[in-house]
Structures are given as C-alpha cells and as structure tokens.
Short mmCIF file of all heavy atoms in Angstrom, two decimals:
data_model
loop_
_atom_site.label_atom_id
_atom_site.label_comp_id
_atom_site.label_asym_id
_atom_site.label_seq_id
_atom_site.Cartn_x
_atom_site.Cartn_y
_atom_site.Cartn_z
N ASN A 1 218.70 83.91 36.24
CA ASN A 1 219.27 85.16 36.77
C ASN A 1 219.53 86.21 35.75
O ASN A 1 220.13 87.20 36.03
CB ASN A 1 220.56 84.84 37.54
CG ASN A 1 220.40 84.03 38.72
OD1 ASN A 1 219.32 84.08 39.36
ND2 ASN A 1 221.34 83.25 39.11
N PHE A 2 219.00 86.01 34.52
CA PHE A 2 219.17 86.99 33.43
C PHE A 2 217.91 87.75 33.22
O PHE A 2 216.77 87.21 33.31
CB PHE A 2 219.59 86.32 32.21
CG PHE A 2 220.96 85.75 32.13
CD1 PHE A 2 221.25 84.51 32.55
CD2 PHE A 2 222.01 86.60 31.80
CE1 PHE A 2 222.56 84.02 32.56
CE2 PHE A 2 223.33 86.16 31.85
CZ PHE A 2 223.59 84.82 32.19
N HIS A 3 218.03 89.02 32.96
CA HIS A 3 216.92 89.86 32.43
C HIS A 3 217.40 90.50 31.18
O HIS A 3 218.58 90.76 30.95
CB HIS A 3 216.56 90.99 33.48
CG HIS A 3 215.87 90.36 34.68
ND1 HIS A 3 216.50 89.65 35.67
CD2 HIS A 3 214.52 90.26 34.97
CE1 HIS A 3 215.62 89.26 36.57
NE2 HIS A 3 214.36 89.57 36.08
N PHE A 4 216.48 90.75 30.30
CA PHE A 4 216.73 91.30 28.94
C PHE A 4 215.97 92.63 28.76
O PHE A 4 214.99 92.81 29.42
CB PHE A 4 216.33 90.34 27.88
CG PHE A 4 217.15 89.11 27.80
CD1 PHE A 4 216.90 88.10 28.72
CD2 PHE A 4 218.13 88.91 26.90
CE1 PHE A 4 217.64 86.92 28.76
CE2 PHE A 4 218.92 87.74 26.86
CZ PHE A 4 218.64 86.79 27.81
N THR A 5 216.48 93.47 27.88
CA THR A 5 215.86 94.76 27.63
C THR A 5 215.50 94.80 26.14
O THR A 5 215.91 94.03 25.31
CB THR A 5 216.77 95.95 27.94
OG1 THR A 5 217.90 96.01 26.99
CG2 THR A 5 217.21 95.93 29.37
N THR A 6 214.60 95.77 25.82
CA THR A 6 214.16 95.92 24.45
C THR A 6 215.05 96.87 23.71
O THR A 6 214.72 97.11 22.48
CB THR A 6 212.68 96.49 24.47
OG1 THR A 6 212.69 97.75 25.13
CG2 THR A 6 211.72 95.52 25.12
N GLY A 7 216.02 97.38 24.25
CA GLY A 7 216.95 98.33 23.51
C GLY A 7 217.73 97.64 22.42
O GLY A 7 218.11 96.46 22.48
N GLY A 8 218.06 98.45 21.44
CA GLY A 8 218.95 97.97 20.34
C GLY A 8 218.16 97.83 19.04
O GLY A 8 217.97 98.79 18.37
N LYS A 9 217.76 96.63 18.67
CA LYS A 9 217.02 96.34 17.47
C LYS A 9 215.53 96.35 17.73
O LYS A 9 215.06 95.63 18.63
CB LYS A 9 217.44 94.99 16.86
CG LYS A 9 218.86 94.92 16.45
CD LYS A 9 219.11 95.70 15.23
CE LYS A 9 220.49 95.52 14.71
NZ LYS A 9 220.83 96.31 13.56
N PHE A 10 214.78 97.08 16.96
CA PHE A 10 213.33 97.11 17.09
C PHE A 10 212.71 96.15 16.06
O PHE A 10 212.29 96.53 14.94
CB PHE A 10 212.78 98.53 16.89
CG PHE A 10 213.28 99.46 17.99
CD1 PHE A 10 213.45 100.83 17.69
CD2 PHE A 10 213.49 99.08 19.28
CE1 PHE A 10 213.86 101.70 18.71
CE2 PHE A 10 213.81 99.89 20.30
CZ PHE A 10 214.05 101.24 20.01
N SER A 11 212.66 94.94 16.43
CA SER A 11 212.18 93.83 15.61
C SER A 11 211.11 93.08 16.36
O SER A 11 211.41 92.45 17.40
CB SER A 11 213.28 92.95 15.11
OG SER A 11 212.78 91.68 14.61
N HIS A 12 209.88 93.07 15.84
CA HIS A 12 208.82 92.32 16.54
C HIS A 12 209.12 90.81 16.48
O HIS A 12 208.72 90.07 17.44
CB HIS A 12 207.46 92.62 15.92
CG HIS A 12 206.99 93.99 16.30
ND1 HIS A 12 206.22 94.71 15.47
CD2 HIS A 12 207.28 94.81 17.31
CE1 HIS A 12 205.99 95.92 16.01
NE2 HIS A 12 206.59 95.96 17.18
N THR A 13 209.72 90.37 15.45
CA THR A 13 210.07 88.92 15.38
C THR A 13 211.13 88.62 16.48
O THR A 13 210.99 87.56 17.19
CB THR A 13 210.72 88.58 14.05
OG1 THR A 13 209.81 88.93 12.99
CG2 THR A 13 211.05 87.09 13.93
N ALA A 14 212.13 89.37 16.71
CA ALA A 14 213.09 89.20 17.76
C ALA A 14 212.44 89.25 19.19
O ALA A 14 212.79 88.50 20.02
CB ALA A 14 214.26 90.17 17.62
N LEU A 15 211.58 90.25 19.24
CA LEU A 15 210.84 90.40 20.52
C LEU A 15 209.99 89.10 20.83
O LEU A 15 210.10 88.57 21.98
CB LEU A 15 209.91 91.64 20.49
CG LEU A 15 209.03 91.79 21.68
CD1 LEU A 15 209.85 92.23 22.89
CD2 LEU A 15 207.96 92.85 21.44
N GLN A 16 209.29 88.63 19.90
CA GLN A 16 208.53 87.39 20.11
C GLN A 16 209.40 86.18 20.43
O GLN A 16 209.06 85.40 21.33
CB GLN A 16 207.65 87.04 18.86
CG GLN A 16 206.61 86.04 19.09
CD GLN A 16 205.64 86.41 20.16
OE1 GLN A 16 205.17 87.56 20.27
NE2 GLN A 16 205.36 85.44 21.07
N CYS A 17 210.47 86.09 19.81
CA CYS A 17 211.46 85.00 20.03
C CYS A 17 211.97 85.07 21.45
O CYS A 17 212.04 84.10 22.22
CB CYS A 17 212.59 84.99 19.03
SG CYS A 17 213.79 83.75 19.29
N THR A 18 212.35 86.29 21.88
CA THR A 18 212.81 86.48 23.21
C THR A 18 211.82 86.10 24.26
O THR A 18 212.08 85.44 25.23
CB THR A 18 213.34 87.97 23.42
OG1 THR A 18 214.28 88.29 22.46
CG2 THR A 18 213.85 88.19 24.84
N ILE A 19 210.55 86.58 24.08
CA ILE A 19 209.45 86.22 25.02
C ILE A 19 209.28 84.74 25.01
O ILE A 19 209.10 84.14 26.17
CB ILE A 19 208.11 86.95 24.55
CG1 ILE A 19 208.25 88.43 24.74
CG2 ILE A 19 206.99 86.32 25.28
CD1 ILE A 19 207.14 89.24 24.14
N GLU A 20 209.33 84.02 23.90
CA GLU A 20 209.16 82.57 23.85
C GLU A 20 210.27 81.84 24.61
O GLU A 20 210.05 80.83 25.19
CB GLU A 20 209.04 82.10 22.41
CG GLU A 20 207.70 82.54 21.77
CD GLU A 20 207.63 82.07 20.31
OE1 GLU A 20 208.47 81.30 19.86
OE2 GLU A 20 206.76 82.56 19.63
N GLU A 21 211.48 82.46 24.47
CA GLU A 21 212.68 81.69 25.07
C GLU A 21 212.91 81.96 26.57
O GLU A 21 213.26 81.14 27.31
CB GLU A 21 213.94 82.00 24.27
CG GLU A 21 213.99 81.44 22.95
CD GLU A 21 213.91 79.88 22.93
OE1 GLU A 21 214.59 79.28 23.72
OE2 GLU A 21 213.17 79.32 22.11
N ILE A 22 212.74 83.22 26.95
CA ILE A 22 213.05 83.60 28.39
C ILE A 22 211.81 83.88 29.22
O ILE A 22 211.90 83.88 30.42
CB ILE A 22 214.07 84.77 28.47
CG1 ILE A 22 213.42 86.07 27.94
CG2 ILE A 22 215.25 84.45 27.74
CD1 ILE A 22 213.98 87.31 28.56
N GLY A 23 210.66 84.18 28.53
CA GLY A 23 209.44 84.55 29.26
C GLY A 23 209.25 86.02 29.42
O GLY A 23 210.24 86.77 29.47
N ILE A 24 208.09 86.47 29.39
CA ILE A 24 207.71 87.87 29.43
C ILE A 24 208.21 88.51 30.71
O ILE A 24 208.54 89.72 30.79
CB ILE A 24 206.19 88.11 29.22
CG1 ILE A 24 205.83 89.59 29.02
CG2 ILE A 24 205.34 87.50 30.31
CD1 ILE A 24 206.42 90.13 27.71
N GLU A 25 208.27 87.73 31.85
CA GLU A 25 208.58 88.26 33.11
C GLU A 25 210.00 88.72 33.33
O GLU A 25 210.41 89.33 34.27
CB GLU A 25 208.21 87.29 34.26
CG GLU A 25 208.99 86.05 34.22
CD GLU A 25 208.44 84.99 33.20
OE1 GLU A 25 207.43 85.20 32.63
OE2 GLU A 25 209.22 84.03 32.99
N ARG A 26 210.88 88.34 32.31
CA ARG A 26 212.28 88.75 32.35
C ARG A 26 212.65 89.81 31.25
O ARG A 26 213.82 90.01 31.01
CB ARG A 26 213.14 87.59 32.21
CG ARG A 26 212.96 86.62 33.41
CD ARG A 26 214.10 85.60 33.44
NE ARG A 26 213.97 84.75 34.58
CZ ARG A 26 214.54 85.06 35.81
NH1 ARG A 26 215.24 86.15 35.93
NH2 ARG A 26 214.42 84.22 36.82
N LEU A 27 211.69 90.51 30.81
CA LEU A 27 211.97 91.49 29.72
C LEU A 27 211.53 92.88 30.17
O LEU A 27 210.45 93.11 30.70
CB LEU A 27 211.09 91.05 28.47
CG LEU A 27 211.41 91.84 27.19
CD1 LEU A 27 212.83 91.71 26.73
CD2 LEU A 27 210.46 91.35 26.05
N MET A 28 212.44 93.84 29.98
CA MET A 28 212.15 95.26 30.47
C MET A 28 212.41 96.19 29.41
O MET A 28 213.27 96.01 28.53
CB MET A 28 213.01 95.48 31.66
CG MET A 28 212.75 94.67 32.90
SD MET A 28 213.71 95.07 34.31
CE MET A 28 215.27 94.24 33.85
N PHE A 29 211.72 97.34 29.43
CA PHE A 29 211.80 98.36 28.44
C PHE A 29 213.14 99.12 28.62
O PHE A 29 213.57 99.44 29.70
CB PHE A 29 210.68 99.37 28.65
CG PHE A 29 210.74 100.57 27.69
CD1 PHE A 29 210.31 100.42 26.38
CD2 PHE A 29 211.21 101.82 28.08
CE1 PHE A 29 210.41 101.45 25.48
CE2 PHE A 29 211.26 102.85 27.21
CZ PHE A 29 210.88 102.66 25.91
N ALA A 30 213.84 99.44 27.47
CA ALA A 30 214.99 100.21 27.47
C ALA A 30 215.19 100.65 26.01
O ALA A 30 214.62 100.14 25.07
CB ALA A 30 216.23 99.41 27.86
N VAL A 31 216.01 101.76 25.85
CA VAL A 31 216.41 102.25 24.51
C VAL A 31 217.86 102.54 24.55
O VAL A 31 218.43 102.72 25.63
CB VAL A 31 215.62 103.50 24.06
CG1 VAL A 31 214.18 103.20 23.84
CG2 VAL A 31 215.82 104.60 25.03
N ASP A 32 218.44 102.44 23.42
CA ASP A 32 219.90 102.78 23.23
C ASP A 32 220.10 104.28 22.90
O ASP A 32 220.46 104.55 21.80
CB ASP A 32 220.57 101.88 22.21
CG ASP A 32 220.69 100.43 22.69
OD1 ASP A 32 220.70 100.23 23.94
OD2 ASP A 32 220.88 99.54 21.83
N TRP A 33 219.84 105.09 23.87
CA TRP A 33 220.01 106.54 23.66
C TRP A 33 221.51 106.79 23.59
O TRP A 33 222.27 106.25 24.31
CB TRP A 33 219.36 107.30 24.80
CG TRP A 33 219.35 108.79 24.57
CD1 TRP A 33 218.34 109.51 23.98
CD2 TRP A 33 220.37 109.71 24.96
NE1 TRP A 33 218.68 110.80 23.91
CE2 TRP A 33 219.90 110.97 24.49
CE3 TRP A 33 221.55 109.61 25.59
CZ2 TRP A 33 220.71 112.13 24.68
CZ3 TRP A 33 222.28 110.75 25.81
CH2 TRP A 33 221.84 111.98 25.39
N PRO A 34 221.93 107.65 22.67
CA PRO A 34 221.20 108.63 21.81
C PRO A 34 220.90 108.05 20.43
O PRO A 34 220.41 108.81 19.56
CB PRO A 34 222.22 109.73 21.67
CG PRO A 34 223.55 109.05 21.69
CD PRO A 34 223.39 107.92 22.65
N PHE A 35 221.06 106.76 20.23
CA PHE A 35 220.84 106.23 18.87
C PHE A 35 219.32 106.08 18.64
O PHE A 35 218.92 106.10 17.49
CB PHE A 35 221.49 104.91 18.76
CG PHE A 35 222.99 105.05 19.02
CD1 PHE A 35 223.54 104.51 20.14
CD2 PHE A 35 223.79 105.72 18.09
CE1 PHE A 35 224.89 104.68 20.37
CE2 PHE A 35 225.19 105.86 18.31
CZ PHE A 35 225.75 105.33 19.47
N HIS A 36 218.56 105.84 19.71
CA HIS A 36 217.13 105.77 19.58
C HIS A 36 216.53 106.58 20.70
O HIS A 36 217.13 106.71 21.74
CB HIS A 36 216.57 104.35 19.76
CG HIS A 36 217.12 103.40 18.74
ND1 HIS A 36 218.20 102.46 18.94
CD2 HIS A 36 216.74 103.24 17.41
CE1 HIS A 36 218.37 101.82 17.81
NE2 HIS A 36 217.56 102.23 16.92
N THR A 37 215.34 107.10 20.55
CA THR A 37 214.66 107.93 21.62
C THR A 37 213.71 107.05 22.31
O THR A 37 213.29 105.93 21.88
CB THR A 37 213.92 109.11 20.95
OG1 THR A 37 212.82 108.56 20.20
CG2 THR A 37 214.81 109.92 20.09
N ASN A 38 213.27 107.51 23.56
CA ASN A 38 212.23 106.81 24.19
C ASN A 38 210.97 106.69 23.43
O ASN A 38 210.25 105.71 23.53
CB ASN A 38 211.87 107.61 25.55
CG ASN A 38 212.88 107.38 26.64
OD1 ASN A 38 213.77 106.45 26.49
ND2 ASN A 38 212.85 108.22 27.62
N ARG A 39 210.66 107.68 22.56
CA ARG A 39 209.48 107.60 21.72
C ARG A 39 209.62 106.48 20.71
O ARG A 39 208.63 105.70 20.44
CB ARG A 39 209.25 108.94 20.98
CG ARG A 39 207.97 109.04 20.24
CD ARG A 39 206.76 109.17 21.15
NE ARG A 39 205.90 108.06 20.86
CZ ARG A 39 205.12 107.45 21.79
NH1 ARG A 39 205.18 107.80 23.03
NH2 ARG A 39 204.33 106.48 21.43
N ASP A 40 210.75 106.27 20.11
CA ASP A 40 211.03 105.20 19.23
C ASP A 40 210.73 103.80 19.90
O ASP A 40 210.05 102.92 19.34
CB ASP A 40 212.47 105.09 18.64
CG ASP A 40 212.83 106.30 17.83
OD1 ASP A 40 211.95 106.99 17.26
OD2 ASP A 40 214.04 106.60 17.80
N GLY A 41 211.31 103.67 21.06
CA GLY A 41 211.11 102.48 21.90
C GLY A 41 209.70 102.26 22.30
O GLY A 41 209.23 101.08 22.22
N ALA A 42 209.07 103.31 22.74
CA ALA A 42 207.70 103.13 23.16
C ALA A 42 206.76 102.77 21.97
O ALA A 42 205.92 101.90 22.11
CB ALA A 42 207.16 104.49 23.79
N SER A 43 206.96 103.34 20.88
CA SER A 43 206.22 102.98 19.64
C SER A 43 206.39 101.62 19.29
O SER A 43 205.44 100.83 18.84
CB SER A 43 206.58 103.94 18.51
OG SER A 43 206.19 105.26 18.74
N PHE A 44 207.62 101.07 19.40
CA PHE A 44 207.90 99.69 19.14
C PHE A 44 207.11 98.75 19.94
O PHE A 44 206.51 97.82 19.46
CB PHE A 44 209.42 99.46 19.23
CG PHE A 44 209.84 97.98 19.28
CD1 PHE A 44 209.67 97.23 18.15
CD2 PHE A 44 210.38 97.46 20.46
CE1 PHE A 44 210.04 95.90 18.20
CE2 PHE A 44 210.71 96.17 20.47
CZ PHE A 44 210.62 95.39 19.38
N ILE A 45 207.08 99.01 21.27
CA ILE A 45 206.34 98.09 22.16
C ILE A 45 204.82 98.31 22.02
O ILE A 45 204.04 97.38 21.99
CB ILE A 45 206.74 98.36 23.62
CG1 ILE A 45 208.20 98.06 23.85
CG2 ILE A 45 205.88 97.54 24.60
CD1 ILE A 45 208.61 96.59 23.55
N GLU A 46 204.40 99.56 21.85
CA GLU A 46 203.00 99.85 21.65
C GLU A 46 202.43 99.11 20.46
O GLU A 46 201.20 98.70 20.41
CB GLU A 46 202.77 101.35 21.57
CG GLU A 46 202.88 102.09 22.86
CD GLU A 46 202.96 103.55 22.70
OE1 GLU A 46 202.98 104.07 21.64
OE2 GLU A 46 203.05 104.26 23.81
N THR A 47 203.19 98.98 19.37
CA THR A 47 202.66 98.36 18.16
C THR A 47 203.03 96.84 18.08
O THR A 47 202.65 96.14 17.09
CB THR A 47 203.34 98.99 16.86
OG1 THR A 47 204.71 98.91 16.94
CG2 THR A 47 202.87 100.50 16.86
N ALA A 48 203.67 96.29 19.11
CA ALA A 48 204.01 94.85 19.13
C ALA A 48 202.89 94.02 19.15
O ALA A 48 201.80 94.37 19.83
CB ALA A 48 204.96 94.59 20.35
N PRO A 49 202.86 92.85 18.52
CA PRO A 49 201.70 91.95 18.48
C PRO A 49 201.64 91.09 19.80
O PRO A 49 201.70 89.85 19.80
CB PRO A 49 201.95 91.05 17.30
CG PRO A 49 203.47 91.03 17.18
CD PRO A 49 203.96 92.33 17.63
N ILE A 50 201.59 91.81 20.95
CA ILE A 50 201.48 91.13 22.20
C ILE A 50 200.35 91.84 22.95
O ILE A 50 199.89 92.94 22.64
CB ILE A 50 202.80 91.24 23.09
CG1 ILE A 50 203.18 92.63 23.25
CG2 ILE A 50 203.97 90.42 22.39
CD1 ILE A 50 204.41 92.83 24.17
N GLY A 51 199.78 91.15 24.03
CA GLY A 51 198.66 91.69 24.82
C GLY A 51 199.09 92.92 25.64
O GLY A 51 200.25 93.20 25.88
N ASP A 52 198.03 93.56 26.11
CA ASP A 52 198.21 94.81 26.92
C ASP A 52 198.88 94.48 28.23
O ASP A 52 199.68 95.21 28.81
CB ASP A 52 196.82 95.43 27.20
CG ASP A 52 196.36 96.09 25.92
OD1 ASP A 52 197.08 96.45 24.99
OD2 ASP A 52 195.10 96.42 25.87
N ASP A 53 198.53 93.27 28.80
CA ASP A 53 199.23 92.91 30.11
C ASP A 53 200.67 92.72 29.90
O ASP A 53 201.51 93.09 30.74
CB ASP A 53 198.57 91.58 30.59
CG ASP A 53 197.19 91.79 31.15
OD1 ASP A 53 196.73 92.95 31.41
OD2 ASP A 53 196.48 90.75 31.35
N ALA A 54 201.13 92.09 28.74
CA ALA A 54 202.47 91.91 28.41
C ALA A 54 203.23 93.25 28.28
O ALA A 54 204.30 93.44 28.75
CB ALA A 54 202.65 91.03 27.19
N LYS A 55 202.55 94.20 27.64
CA LYS A 55 203.11 95.49 27.40
C LYS A 55 203.32 96.22 28.73
O LYS A 55 204.33 96.86 28.92
CB LYS A 55 202.24 96.33 26.54
CG LYS A 55 202.21 95.81 25.04
CD LYS A 55 201.19 96.54 24.19
CE LYS A 55 201.18 95.98 22.81
NZ LYS A 55 200.17 96.62 21.88
N ALA A 56 202.36 96.11 29.64
CA ALA A 56 202.47 96.71 30.96
C ALA A 56 203.58 96.17 31.76
O ALA A 56 204.33 96.83 32.50
CB ALA A 56 201.14 96.55 31.76
N MET A 57 203.82 94.85 31.58
CA MET A 57 205.02 94.23 32.28
C MET A 57 206.28 94.74 31.75
O MET A 57 207.18 95.06 32.54
CB MET A 57 204.89 92.71 32.05
CG MET A 57 203.72 92.04 32.81
SD MET A 57 203.57 90.27 32.46
CE MET A 57 204.96 89.65 33.39
N ILE A 58 206.39 94.87 30.45
CA ILE A 58 207.62 95.36 29.77
C ILE A 58 207.85 96.84 30.19
O ILE A 58 208.95 97.26 30.51
CB ILE A 58 207.60 95.20 28.24
CG1 ILE A 58 207.58 93.72 27.87
CG2 ILE A 58 208.73 95.98 27.61
CD1 ILE A 58 207.35 93.45 26.38
N PHE A 59 206.80 97.62 30.18
CA PHE A 59 206.93 99.03 30.35
C PHE A 59 207.25 99.40 31.80
O PHE A 59 207.67 100.53 32.11
CB PHE A 59 205.71 99.82 29.92
CG PHE A 59 205.67 100.17 28.47
CD1 PHE A 59 204.54 99.89 27.73
CD2 PHE A 59 206.72 100.82 27.91
CE1 PHE A 59 204.54 100.35 26.40
CE2 PHE A 59 206.70 101.18 26.55
CZ PHE A 59 205.56 100.89 25.79
N GLY A 60 207.11 98.50 32.74
CA GLY A 60 207.41 98.86 34.14
C GLY A 60 207.17 97.76 35.18
O GLY A 60 207.82 97.79 36.20
N GLY A 61 206.23 96.95 34.92
CA GLY A 61 205.84 95.89 35.91
C GLY A 61 206.99 94.99 36.26
O GLY A 61 207.23 94.72 37.43
N ASN A 62 207.78 94.57 35.25
CA ASN A 62 208.85 93.62 35.50
C ASN A 62 210.03 94.33 36.25
O ASN A 62 210.60 93.73 37.11
CB ASN A 62 209.37 93.08 34.21
CG ASN A 62 208.40 92.19 33.53
OD1 ASN A 62 207.58 91.59 34.19
ND2 ASN A 62 208.55 92.06 32.20
N ALA A 63 210.30 95.59 35.97
CA ALA A 63 211.35 96.36 36.68
C ALA A 63 210.94 96.55 38.14
O ALA A 63 211.76 96.34 38.99
CB ALA A 63 211.62 97.69 35.95
N ARG A 64 209.65 96.87 38.41
CA ARG A 64 209.21 97.04 39.75
C ARG A 64 209.32 95.71 40.54
O ARG A 64 209.70 95.69 41.71
CB ARG A 64 207.80 97.56 39.80
CG ARG A 64 207.67 99.06 39.49
CD ARG A 64 206.29 99.62 39.72
NE ARG A 64 205.27 99.04 38.87
CZ ARG A 64 205.04 99.47 37.59
NH1 ARG A 64 205.71 100.42 37.11
NH2 ARG A 64 204.06 98.88 36.88
N ALA A 65 209.02 94.58 39.86
CA ALA A 65 209.05 93.31 40.54
C ALA A 65 210.52 92.97 40.79
O ALA A 65 210.84 92.52 41.95
CB ALA A 65 208.43 92.21 39.70
N LEU A 66 211.42 93.21 39.83
CA LEU A 66 212.83 92.88 40.00
C LEU A 66 213.42 93.71 41.17
O LEU A 66 214.17 93.17 42.05
CB LEU A 66 213.61 93.12 38.75
CG LEU A 66 215.09 92.90 38.87
CD1 LEU A 66 215.55 91.52 39.16
CD2 LEU A 66 215.71 93.37 37.53
N LEU A 67 213.09 95.02 41.18
CA LEU A 67 213.65 95.93 42.20
C LEU A 67 212.92 95.97 43.55
O LEU A 67 213.23 96.65 44.39
CB LEU A 67 213.80 97.31 41.60
CG LEU A 67 214.65 97.36 40.31
CD1 LEU A 67 214.55 98.81 39.67
CD2 LEU A 67 216.10 97.05 40.69
N ARG A 68 211.81 95.21 43.53
CA ARG A 68 210.96 95.22 44.66
C ARG A 68 210.43 96.53 45.12
O ARG A 68 210.56 96.91 46.28
CB ARG A 68 211.63 94.43 45.91
CG ARG A 68 211.92 92.96 45.49
CD ARG A 68 212.58 92.22 46.70
NE ARG A 68 212.78 90.87 46.35
CZ ARG A 68 213.94 90.31 46.02
NH1 ARG A 68 215.05 91.05 46.07
NH2 ARG A 68 214.03 89.01 45.77
N ILE A 69 209.92 97.22 44.18
CA ILE A 69 209.35 98.57 44.43
C ILE A 69 207.91 98.70 44.01
O ILE A 69 207.48 97.96 43.26
CB ILE A 69 210.19 99.74 43.80
CG1 ILE A 69 210.28 99.57 42.25
CG2 ILE A 69 211.54 99.77 44.40
CD1 ILE A 69 210.93 100.68 41.52
#
C-alpha cells in the first residue's frame, strides 16, 4: 500500500535501491519545490541508468495507474 516519489535526494544509487526493493510500479516523479525545480528532477530521471519504459512509468504511468486515469 506504499508508493514512493523521487523528490528529495537526487541519487541514482538510492533510486536503483528503491526500484530493487519496492518495484518500479510504485515509484512516481516528484520534486521538493522550492528547494529543487521540475527541471532538476526531470534531468535526474532522464539521466538515470534505467530503461525508457521505467522512465515513462516514473514520469506519469504509475500515477495514472494509481489514480485510475
């Protein structure tokens, strides 16, 4: 029943650990504005060492599935 966001620390190591522990389907894009901008967060995910399908899930697919939209 838990979902996680990418806001906070932009660490690819932490991202990979989170994916391994909870699964890509429970991870959603977010930033801790005003401390980070959407561009900072987007760049972090865009440069992450994960596949394009995983990036699409983080950027919106998982939120659409959770909210059933």
Side-chain angles (χ1 to χ4, degrees):
N1 293 333
F2 288 94
H3 287 78
F4 293 78
T5 67
T6 60
K9 296 285 186 186
F10 294 147
S11 162
H12 289 151
T13 303
L15 176 68
Q16 191 60 43
C17 180
T18 303
I19 292 169
E20 289 175 14
E21 290 299 318
I22 68 157
I24 191 68
E25 65 281 348
R26 294 195 176 271
L27 189 60
M28 295 181 282
F29 179 78
V31 295
D32 289 339
W33 187 88
F35 305 106
H36 299 103
T37 67
N38 283 345
R39 188 72 238 143
D40 296 335
S43 294
F44 166 65
I45 298 299
E46 289 167 353
T47 60
I50 58 176
D52 289 340
D53 290 343
K55 291 175 186 178
M57 291 173 76
I58 292 171
F59 274 133
N62 291 337
R64 285 190 293 279
L66 175 65
L67 300 173
R68 296 183 178 106
I69 56 174

